[in-house]
């Protein structure tokens, strides 16, 4: 049942979709989503994956170009050699490539979609998820004009998003937080610093404890679990790690060092749904809450994040918002819409449950290459 037969076609696409509004973080301002897509075909079934890398190595060392390089020269050659295989077996062989978990997740995701379609089951049933809907949260970028920030939060509140995250950067965080709490004393609020602070900023970071935040996401450097453990001891607000977590070992280290109380599991950053599931299980055992982040994915990547969140450890609302928060036109149908109570229904079609619209794929593609 979990066996896939030989891959007889593999194709890579780079699509470029304009975002409805620029998305600013402490790292960069994004105006477009340049996504790497992978299509794998076996017999009469196809599966799709989307890489969460960006064109630039700011959030992670992986970029769209390094992912293409790794997929083309290392991962697909492993896959191509096999007549019949299980996804686990392939993922184990991928371990010979160190790191590059975004590239690995892309192939894993496409294989899972393919397998689920072959079994005529929705993806969440293949990975063992239970929930029929998930809580939706939103990530709001840095705004130059405080009125824009208040407006965005008001819009999100009206849509009943289960929590609102705002991006912050060092030295420009207190004013917006004060304004938000004045206008919305009770909303569920958190901040994401994308590693903009250092432990030297302890006194500034202590002030964040005054704003009743659900958590502070990735305050310190991506590679500094030790200083996060020192910081967590000084703050009453939970720290959540994002870019520091690339695999299960990072989770074990972070939890046992006391570097965080919450983990943002982005399946696309940690090598795919199966790796994310193992991390989620570990965190559940350790009573560490997890949620699913996002990378402004197109409807393909977002569908994987939605299916992931049906697993039992995902008790906190994630960053998966409705399509209209990102794109005027996505490359898939149906677009994701929130229920009046701020939930997203799990697609019940086979595989990821969303269809690629060929005309839109063609229109948004800036390059493509057949690899097998
Ligand atoms: O740090 O979580 C992040 C987007 C791009 C890169 C990094 C991050 C984000 C988000 C948006 O916060 C999440 C989403 O809505 O997909
Ligand atoms: Mg983050």
């Amino acid at each position: 049942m979990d066996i896939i037969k030989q891959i007889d076609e593999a194709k890579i696409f780079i699509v470029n979709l304009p975002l409805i509004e620029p998305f600013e973080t402490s790292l960069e301002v994004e105006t477009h989503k340049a996504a790497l897509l992978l299509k794998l075909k076996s017999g009469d079934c196809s599966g799709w994956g989307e890489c969460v890398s960006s064109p630039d190595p700011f959030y992670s060392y992986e970029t769209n170009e390094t992912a293409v390089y790794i997929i083309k020269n290392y991962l697909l050659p492993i896959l191509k050699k096999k007549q019949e295989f299980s996804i686990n077996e392939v993922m184990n062989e991928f371990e010979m490539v160190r790191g590059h978990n975004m590239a690995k997740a892309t192939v894993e995701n496409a294989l899972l979609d393919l397998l689920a379609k072959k079994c005529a089951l929705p993806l969440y049933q293949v990975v063992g998820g239970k929930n029929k809907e998930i809580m939706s949260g939103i990530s709001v970028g840095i705004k130059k004009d405080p009125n824009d920030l208040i407006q965005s939060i008001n819009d999100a509140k009206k849509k009943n998003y289960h929590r609102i995250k705002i991006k912050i950067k060092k030295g420009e965080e207190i004013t917006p937080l004060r304004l938000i709490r004045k206008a919305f004393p009770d909303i569920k609020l958190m901040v994401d610093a994308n590693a903009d602070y250092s432990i030297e900023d302890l006194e500034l970071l202590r002030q964040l404890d005054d704003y009743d935040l659900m958590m502070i996401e990735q305050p310190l450097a991506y590679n500094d679990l030790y200083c996060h453990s020192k910081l967590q001891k000084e703050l009453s607000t939970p720290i959540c790690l994002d870019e520091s977590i690339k695999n299960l070992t990072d989770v074990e280290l972070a939890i046992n060092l006391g570097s965080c109380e919450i983990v943002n599991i982005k399946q696309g950053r940690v090598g795919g749904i199966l790796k994310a599931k193992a991390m989620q299980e570990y965190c559940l055992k350790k009573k560490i809450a997890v949620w699913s982040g996002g990378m402004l994915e197109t409807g393909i990547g977002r569908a994987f994040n939605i299916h992931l969140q049906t697993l039992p450890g995902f008790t906190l609302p994630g960053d998966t918002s409705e399509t209209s928060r990102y794109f005027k036109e996505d490359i898939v149908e149906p677009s994701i819409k929130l229920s009046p109570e701020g939930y997203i229904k799990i697609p019940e079609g086979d595989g990821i449950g969303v269809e690629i619209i060929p005309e839109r794929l063609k229109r948004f593609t800036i390059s493509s290459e057949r690899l097998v």
Side-chain angles (χ1 to χ4, degrees):
M1 165 118 155
D2 60 345
I3 296 296
I4 298 177
K5 296 223 172 91
Q6 198 164 34
I7 296 299
D8 27 53
E9 192 185 320
K11 204 169 168 188
I12 269 179
F13 303 80
I14 306 281
V15 293
N16 200 25
L17 275 68
L19 292 171
I20 282 181
E21 53 174 14
F23 187 75
E24 179 169 351
T25 68
S26 64
L27 305 169
E28 60 184 322
V29 182
E30 295 181 77
T31 58
H32 286 73
K33 175 67 193 181
L36 159 55
L37 308 176
L38 173 69
K39 179 188 181 183
L40 296 177
K41 195 162 162 279
S42 168
D44 39 8
C45 285
S46 295
W48 286 85
E50 172 176 346
C51 193
V52 298
S53 56
S54 308
D56 304 305
F58 301 151
Y59 171 87
S60 149
Y61 69 85
E62 291 192 78
T63 66
N64 290 345
E65 284 184 69
T66 69
V68 170
Y69 177 78
I70 295 291
I71 291 171
K72 187 170 161 177
N73 295 301
Y74 295 96
L75 307 182
L76 280 183
I78 291 174
L79 207 54
K80 243 174 26 191
K81 279 204 291 260
K82 306 209 169 272
Q83 304 291 326
E84 289 194 338
F85 58 91
S86 72
I87 299 179
N88 269 324
E89 170 192 336
V90 169
M91 293 312 287
N92 286 340
E93 283 194 44
F94 284 180
E95 295 290 321
M96 73 193 297
V97 174
R98 294 188 181 178
H100 295 281
N101 285 338
M102 294 180 175
K104 290 173 185 171
T106 311
V107 179
E108 190 251 29
N109 283 188
L111 290 173
L112 275 174
D113 183 31
L114 180 59
L115 178 67
K117 281 176 174 142
K118 192 179 140 248
C119 301
L121 288 170
L123 179 64
Y124 74 95
Q125 287 185 20
V126 171
V127 295
K130 291 273 179 309
N131 308 332
K132 298 285 182 206
E133 56 180 15
I134 58 165
M135 291 177 282
S136 182
I138 190 168
S139 175
V140 174
I142 294 171
K143 308 280 180 186
K144 298 250 151 29
D145 182 343
N147 293 322
D148 288 348
L149 179 63
I150 295 298
Q151 177 76 51
S152 297
I153 292 178
N154 205 27
D155 292 346
K157 188 171 173 262
K158 278 203 212 126
K159 287 194 170 260
N160 284 323
Y161 276 107
H162 282 254
R163 62 97 172 112
I164 296 168
K165 150 170 145 182
I166 62 158
K167 293 288 189 178
I168 55 168
K169 69 176 171 197
K170 184 171 148 181
E172 293 174 26
E173 62 298 269
I174 303 300
T175 312
L177 282 174
R178 209 179 274 145
L179 275 171
I180 294 171
R181 275 305 181 213
K182 206 169 146 221
F184 311 102
D186 301 322
I187 55 165
K188 285 196 172 155
L189 183 67
M190 60 174 284
V191 294
D192 184 358
N194 287 107
D196 209 36
Y197 300 81
S198 79
I199 196 72
E200 313 294 311
D201 304 312
L202 179 60
E203 290 318 309
L204 179 54
L205 288 163
R206 256 193 235 287
Q207 294 182 47
L208 298 179
D209 275 342
D210 297 339
Y211 296 92
D212 188 22
L213 302 173
M214 294 171 78
M215 68 195 88
I216 305 170
E217 185 177 342
Q218 196 69 42
L220 309 179
Y222 73 98
N223 56 359
D224 198 345
L225 291 179
Y226 173 58
C227 280
H228 276 104
S229 78
K230 289 204 283 186
L231 179 63
Q232 183 66 90
K233 287 179 188 66
E234 300 294 329
L235 300 181
S236 58
T237 310
I239 291 175
C240 168
L241 291 176
D242 175 357
E243 41 271 62
S244 285
I245 305 294
K246 301 169 300 304
N247 50 53
L248 181 58
T249 311
D250 289 339
V251 175
E252 291 168 344
L253 191 56
I255 292 176
N256 290 297
L257 274 175
S259 309
C260 66
E261 293 176 6
I262 298 172
V263 179
N264 168 344
I265 300 180
K266 284 179 184 163
Q267 62 87 20
R269 146 167 61 64
V270 303
I273 297 257
L274 301 175
K275 302 277 185 200
K277 188 180 177 188
M279 291 165 58
Q280 174 271 145
E281 283 165 1
Y282 179 81
C283 289
L284 197 57
K285 221 165 50 198
K286 290 282 186 177
K287 299 193 164 53
I288 294 287
V290 309
W291 54 277
S292 166
M295 294 291 284
L296 309 174
E297 291 93 339
T298 77
I300 297 177
R302 219 132 31 81
F304 284 95
N305 296 342
I306 290 171
H307 285 279
L308 174 73
Q309 291 172 70
T310 61
L311 295 171
F314 288 85
T315 52
L316 290 168
D319 273 346
T320 316
S321 314
E322 63 178 3
T323 306
S324 64
R325 183 262 170 277
Y326 308 93
F327 309 110
K328 208 164 118 202
E329 204 178 17
D330 196 349
I331 49 172
V332 305
E333 286 289 342
S335 55
I336 303 299
K337 291 199 172 67
L338 291 199
S339 74
E341 298 81 27
Y343 289 88
I344 293 173
K345 260 218 198 73
I346 313 306
E348 288 288 346
D350 295 350
I352 52 176
V354 293
E355 296 280 342
I356 285 81
I357 307 299
E359 182 276 321
R360 295 191 206 159
L361 176 66
K362 202 168 155 198
R363 186 152 39 92
F364 288 117
T365 294
I366 52 177
S367 66
S368 64
E369 186 180 355
R370 187 165 167 176
L371 302 178
V372 174

